[in-house]
Amino acid sequence: MEQYLSPGLIISLILVAIGIFIIAKGLVIVRQSEVMVIERLGSFNRILESGVNIIIPFIERPRPITMIRYVRMGEDYHPVMSDEVRIDRRETVMDFPGQPVVTTDNVTVKINGALYYQIIDPRRAVYEVANMSQAVEVLAKTTLRSVVGKMELDKLFESRSEVNNAIQAEMEEAASKWGVKLTRVEVQDISMPEEVEEAMRLQMAAERKRRATVTEAEGEKSAAIAMAQGQRESAILNAQGDKESAILRAQGEQESIRLVLSAMGDSEENKQTVIGYLLGQSYIKVLPNMAKEGERVFVPYESSALLGSMGMFRELAGSPEDTVRQHLQRDGLRGGLVGSAGNS
C-alpha cells in the first residue's frame, strides 16, 4: 500500500527547512577582539561585539572592510588585498616597502619603515575612508618624506627616535578621522648609495684619526707639564739643599775661625794671620786639581810668601811646606813656572 505525503506535511517540512536556514544564517558568533559592522537595507544599523549575536538574513548583512597586507618574499614586498567582514581591533603592524627619500643635503636614501596602528572606531574606519589600510600607508609614506626631507643625512642617523616621533605626531590628526590610533612608527633600515657610504666611511676614519691625534697631543701636553713641574720642584729642592748646605758650611767655618782666634788671641795681627792661614789652606786644596784641566797649565806661584804666611801654624796644623811640596811632586809641578799635567 503506497503512502503519499500530504501537502500539509510537505509545507511543514519546507517551513522547518527554511527556519533552520534562517537560524543558521542569522546566528553570528563574533570572537574576542573582533567586531562586525551591520547594515540594514544598505544603511548602518549597529556594531556586533564579541559573543553570540543574531541578525536578520537578507535584510541585515555585515559591511566588509578592505585591508592591504604586504608579504615579504626575499627582498621584495607583494601586496595582498582582501575584504574582511570581521574587523580586528587589536594592534596591527604594517611593514611597507622601502621608500626613496631626499634629505636637505641632496642625498637620496631608501628608508624601510614599520607602522603600528589600531582600529578604535570601526564605523568610521568603514564609512569615513574607502580603503583604510591603503590610506594609512600612503599617509605614512608622505609624512616620512616630509619629515626626512627637513633633515641632513648625519642628523637622520643620529636621531631616529626624533624622526619616529615627528612622523607619529603629524599622522595622528589625519588618522584619528578614520577611527585609527597610531601607536608608534619605527624606521627600520636606511640604505644609501655606495659612493655616499664610502664617503661616510672615509669621514669616519678621518674623524677617528683626528680624535687619536688630539688624544695623543693631550697626553704629550700632560706629560710635558708633569715633567716641567717635577723639574721645578727638583730645582727648588736642590736650591734649598744648597742653601742649607752653604749655611751649615759657613757656620762651620765661622766656628772654626772663632776657635782659632780664641786659641791665638783676638788682636788685629792675629786676625790677619788667621786669614792668611785660611787662604793658604784653600790654595793647597785647589792646587792638586789645577793640573787636571788641560795638558799644560801656567801657575803663578810664590812659595816664600805662602810658606811665610803659614810658618807660624806648624805646630797647630803640621807642616804646610811639606804639604805643598808633596802636592807639587805628585802633580809634576816644578818651581811654579810651567807644569805639565799630561806628558812632560
Side-chain angles (χ1 to χ4, degrees), residues 194-213:
E194 294 182 359
E195 58 273 11
V196 176
E197 188 174 356
E198 181 65 22
M200 292 187 65
R201 190 180 296 110
L202 294 176
Q203 181 182 1
M204 181 175 59
E207 179 64 20
R208 289 179 178 175
K209 184 177 180 180
R210 183 190 69 82
R211 292 179 181 177
T213 303

Side-chain angles (χ1 to χ4, degrees), residues 30-260:
V30 181
R31 292 178 296 180
Q32 185 68 33
S33 73
E34 291 183 349
V35 295
M36 296 178 65
V37 177
I38 301 300
E39 292 181 340
R40 177 178 293 178
L41 299 177
S43 61
F44 173 77
N45 181 259
R46 67 186 183 277
I47 295 178
L48 300 183
E49 300 290 344
S50 59
V52 180
N53 297 272
I54 297 176
I55 63 174
I56 303 175
F58 309 110
I59 297 177
E60 297 178 346
R61 68 181 184 88
R63 173 70 179 264
I65 184 173
T66 303
M67 300 294 293
I68 297 178
R69 293 181 175 86
Y70 286 91
V71 179
R72 187 169 184 175
M73 297 180 181
E75 297 295 331
D76 299 329
Y77 288 83
H78 298 276
V80 177
M81 183 176 296
S82 61
D83 292 333
E84 303 175 2
V85 295
R86 299 176 182 268
I87 300 176
D88 196 342
R89 302 186 67 172
R90 295 175 297 177
E91 187 174 355
T92 306
V93 58
M94 179 184 294
D95 188 6
F96 51 86
Q99 301 298 313
V101 181
V102 181
T103 61
T104 54
D105 46 356
N106 295 325
V107 178
T108 302
V109 295
K110 190 175 182 180
I111 300 179
N112 183 18
L115 177 66
Y116 296 84
Y117 67 94
Q118 182 180 10
I119 298 176
I120 58 176
D121 190 347
R123 179 180 178 180
R124 300 179 71 177
V126 172
Y127 292 105
E128 297 294 333
V129 61
N131 191 326
M132 186 272 302
S133 59
Q134 185 180 15
V136 171
E137 176 190 351
V138 174
L139 179 62
K141 292 178 181 180
T142 54
T143 308
L144 178 64
R145 292 192 183 98
S146 175
V147 172
V148 176
K150 301 175 183 178
M151 306 177 65
E152 295 182 354
L153 183 61
D154 295 338
K155 184 67 175 178
L156 177 61
F157 284 99
E158 295 175 359
S159 52
R160 288 194 180 188
S161 59
E162 295 180 8
V163 175
N164 298 337
N165 296 334
I167 294 174
Q168 182 176 352
E170 292 192 16
M171 291 182 61
E172 280 183 352
E173 182 179 357
S176 62
K177 297 179 181 179
W178 307 328
V180 178
K181 177 184 177 181
L182 298 179
T183 55
R184 62 185 181 273
V185 180
E186 298 291 340
V187 175
Q188 300 184 82
D189 301 324
I190 301 177
S191 302
M192 299 175 295
E194 294 182 359
E195 58 273 11
V196 176
E197 188 174 356
E198 181 65 22
M200 292 187 65
R201 190 180 296 110
L202 294 176
Q203 181 182 1
M204 181 175 59
E207 179 64 20
R208 289 179 178 175
K209 184 177 180 180
R210 183 190 69 82
R211 292 179 181 177
T213 303
V214 171
T215 303
E216 183 178 359
E218 290 178 352
E220 292 179 354
K221 175 184 176 181
S222 300
I225 292 174
M227 184 179 297
Q229 290 178 349
Q231 292 177 353
R232 176 177 175 272
E233 294 176 0
S234 176
I236 291 174
L237 293 176
N238 290 333
Q240 290 178 351
D242 293 340
K243 175 184 176 181
E244 294 176 0
S245 175
I247 292 173
L248 293 175
R249 190 163 48 249
Q251 290 176 352
E253 292 177 355
Q254 181 183 6
E255 183 67 18
S256 175
I257 294 172
R258 189 183 62 79
L259 291 175
V260 172

Side-chain angles (χ1 to χ4, degrees), residues 5-18:
L5 296 176
S6 62
L9 180 61
I10 295 175
I11 293 173
S12 298
L13 293 175
I14 293 174
L15 292 176
V16 170
I18 293 174

